[in-house]
Amino acid sequence: MKAVVYKGPNEVQVEEVQDPRIEQPTDVIVRITSTAICGSDLHMYEGRTMAEPGIVFGHENMGVVEEVGSGVVSVKKGDRVVMPFNIACGFCRNCLDGKTGFCITVNPGFAGGAYGYVGMGPYMGGQAEYLRVPFADFNCLQLPKGDEHEDDFAMLADIFPTGYHSTQLAGVSPGDTVAVYGAGPVGLMAAYSAVLRGASKVFVVDRVPNRLRVAEEIGAIPIDFTKGSAPEQIVDQTDGGVDRGIDAVGYQATVPEGEEQPATVLNDLIETVRPTGSLGVVGLYVPKDPGGPSEDARNGKLVISIGRFFEKGLRMGTGQANVKAYNRHLRDLIIAGRAEPSFVVSQRRPLEDAPDAYVRFDRREEGYTKVLLKP
């Protein structure tokens, strides 16, 4: 089959690779109909992780079941399904607690597994024609047949649940004021989720004009951090700061001049959120960053204003989304017409165009907010 293969920093190619096969009775093989390029893929693409050449990328995957293992009960050939980016067994302690992003079965020695991602197990990604799905009864979310809501449902693999997870971590409630740092796909989903949860005012901080424009279109207040201190801009428009803050940027955060300062968003949030407020952090932070701007940063150690954090009595929740905790409910909102997360999708391109799409998405080019690949 054809698949997107990582060759080294800033280079992917579409190559012929071995077709996936049923390896365990609980597996299924899915023919991919939509797979997305994620901002998290860019960390590997740019050489900012320990990823080795040869990885097949792709953790945002949906399609139609083509082959079913003998131990699969609820999933049938021909089912239209979308898979959480995090692979989970469904029966370990963390899965039973609903923390499926931290499954301790699928990636021995580490809490959590995923398709096509460094350190997340031996699982091939879905930027390909076919994908093996382990523990399929647990990991496949079944969808209505046909092709309706294709782009919306594709967002259920990662960014819609991750955006929603950030609002859960932050504790967004009706009437709250919220500041989201980062207007990439996850940041836009976080802002959208805050609106769905009844936030009275949502600020979105970024520097890319077209991304801020999309944020404004969904009812958020755009804040361009190159036009002045983002915390000051937001505090001036609220009663001493927002109730909840969300980090949708992570460790490649930059200051207005363009210099990378990995802790800058966390420190800005500490100043943006009012005393006794709370933070939700879904922007990626890693224990090893080969391209970090300092020795500490290269080892995942950042200088954070913990004194101000403590002084203000703030709370913070972190970690990747437990997609299974949200995807059924979010699917049903889409079916009911209450949610349309596909507003972020700006490109639909054939799988063969992946190398060019990666370049353009990495540059944050106009029209490349979210890219779907169609094998």
Side-chain angles (χ1 to χ4, degrees), residues 225-279:
F225 70 86
T226 68
K227 302 292 178 62
S229 163
E232 290 179 6
Q233 292 185 63
I234 294 169
V235 169
D236 286 346
Q237 298 181 59
T238 55
D239 184 19
V242 294
D243 301 304
R244 318 291 169 208
I246 292 169
D247 176 357
V249 179
Y251 72 105
Q252 288 186 261
T254 62
V255 295
E257 297 75 23
E259 178 189 1
E260 202 171 285
Q261 293 186 12
T264 192
V265 164
L266 291 172
N267 286 324
D268 278 354
L269 278 169
I270 289 169
E271 298 304 322
T272 301
V273 176
R274 65 169 177 81
T276 74
S278 52
L279 283 62

Side-chain angles (χ1 to χ4, degrees), residues 133-185:
V133 179
F135 300 107
D137 283 313
F138 191 69
N139 289 307
C140 290
L141 177 69
Q142 288 157 305
L143 305 168
K145 292 186 182 296
D147 58 8
E148 189 178 11
H149 300 302
E150 179 82 7
D151 292 355
D152 291 309
F153 290 146
M155 303 302 100
L156 291 172
D158 183 353
I159 66 168
F160 194 12
T162 294
Y164 198 88
H165 182 59
S166 73
T167 64
Q168 184 76 8
L169 289 173
V172 176
S173 297
D176 280 349
T177 53
V178 181
V180 179
Y181 278 70

Side-chain angles (χ1 to χ4, degrees), residues 68-339:
V68 180
S70 61
V72 176
V73 176
S74 63
V75 181
K76 304 291 189 290
K77 182 177 180 179
D79 283 353
R80 185 187 186 203
V81 294
V82 62
M83 283 67 66
F85 75 90
N86 28 43
I87 302 167
C89 69
F91 53 77
C92 73
R93 176 177 180 173
N94 284 344
C95 285
L96 290 173
D97 282 345
K99 299 179 176 66
T100 56
F102 301 87
C103 176
I104 56 177
T105 300
V106 298
N107 189 13
F110 188 84
Y115 303 99
Y117 208 87
V118 60
M120 301 299 282
Y123 304 100
M124 187 176 291
Q127 288 173 15
E129 294 178 298
Y130 296 92
L131 178 71
R132 179 177 78 93
V133 179
F135 300 107
D137 283 313
F138 191 69
N139 289 307
C140 290
L141 177 69
Q142 288 157 305
L143 305 168
K145 292 186 182 296
D147 58 8
E148 189 178 11
H149 300 302
E150 179 82 7
D151 292 355
D152 291 309
F153 290 146
M155 303 302 100
L156 291 172
D158 183 353
I159 66 168
F160 194 12
T162 294
Y164 198 88
H165 182 59
S166 73
T167 64
Q168 184 76 8
L169 289 173
V172 176
S173 297
D176 280 349
T177 53
V178 181
V180 179
Y181 278 70
V186 168
L188 291 171
M189 286 293 100
Y192 188 56
S193 297
V195 171
L196 286 175
R197 290 175 72 124
S200 61
K201 189 178 287 188
V202 180
F203 299 90
V204 175
V205 181
D206 208 292
R207 65 185 302 164
V208 181
N210 64 293
R211 292 183 169 188
L212 289 171
R213 185 168 60 250
V214 175
E216 190 169 22
E217 289 170 357
I218 61 170
I221 300 166
I223 300 291
D224 185 340
F225 70 86
T226 68
K227 302 292 178 62
S229 163
E232 290 179 6
Q233 292 185 63
I234 294 169
V235 169
D236 286 346
Q237 298 181 59
T238 55
D239 184 19
V242 294
D243 301 304
R244 318 291 169 208
I246 292 169
D247 176 357
V249 179
Y251 72 105
Q252 288 186 261
T254 62
V255 295
E257 297 75 23
E259 178 189 1
E260 202 171 285
Q261 293 186 12
T264 192
V265 164
L266 291 172
N267 286 324
D268 278 354
L269 278 169
I270 289 169
E271 298 304 322
T272 301
V273 176
R274 65 169 177 81
T276 74
S278 52
L279 283 62
V281 179
V282 293
L284 181 66
Y285 291 89
V286 293
K288 295 290 182 182
D289 171 17
S294 68
E295 183 64 27
D296 278 345
R298 287 189 284 275
N299 288 286
K301 299 175 183 178
L302 309 181
V303 179
I304 298 171
S305 300
I306 191 66
R308 283 286 286 160
F309 184 85
F310 182 88
E311 180 182 68
K312 295 178 75 172
L314 301 177
R315 293 173 289 114
M316 180 167 65
T318 71
Q320 67 178 24
N322 305 302
V323 172
K324 287 278 294 186
Y326 313 110
N327 63 355
R328 284 187 302 109
H329 308 294
L330 298 179
R331 175 200 62 188
D332 293 346
L333 285 177
I334 291 169
I335 293 170
R338 299 288 300 277

Side-chain angles (χ1 to χ4, degrees), residues 151 155 159 184-186 188-189 192 214 218 340-348 367-371:
D151 292 355
M155 303 302 100
I159 66 168
V186 168
L188 291 171
M189 286 293 100
Y192 188 56
V214 175
I218 61 170
E340 296 183 8
S342 61
F343 74 85
V344 299
V345 177
S346 56
Q347 292 286 329
R348 299 162 188 83
Y368 279 79
T369 303
K370 186 65 175 176
V371 181

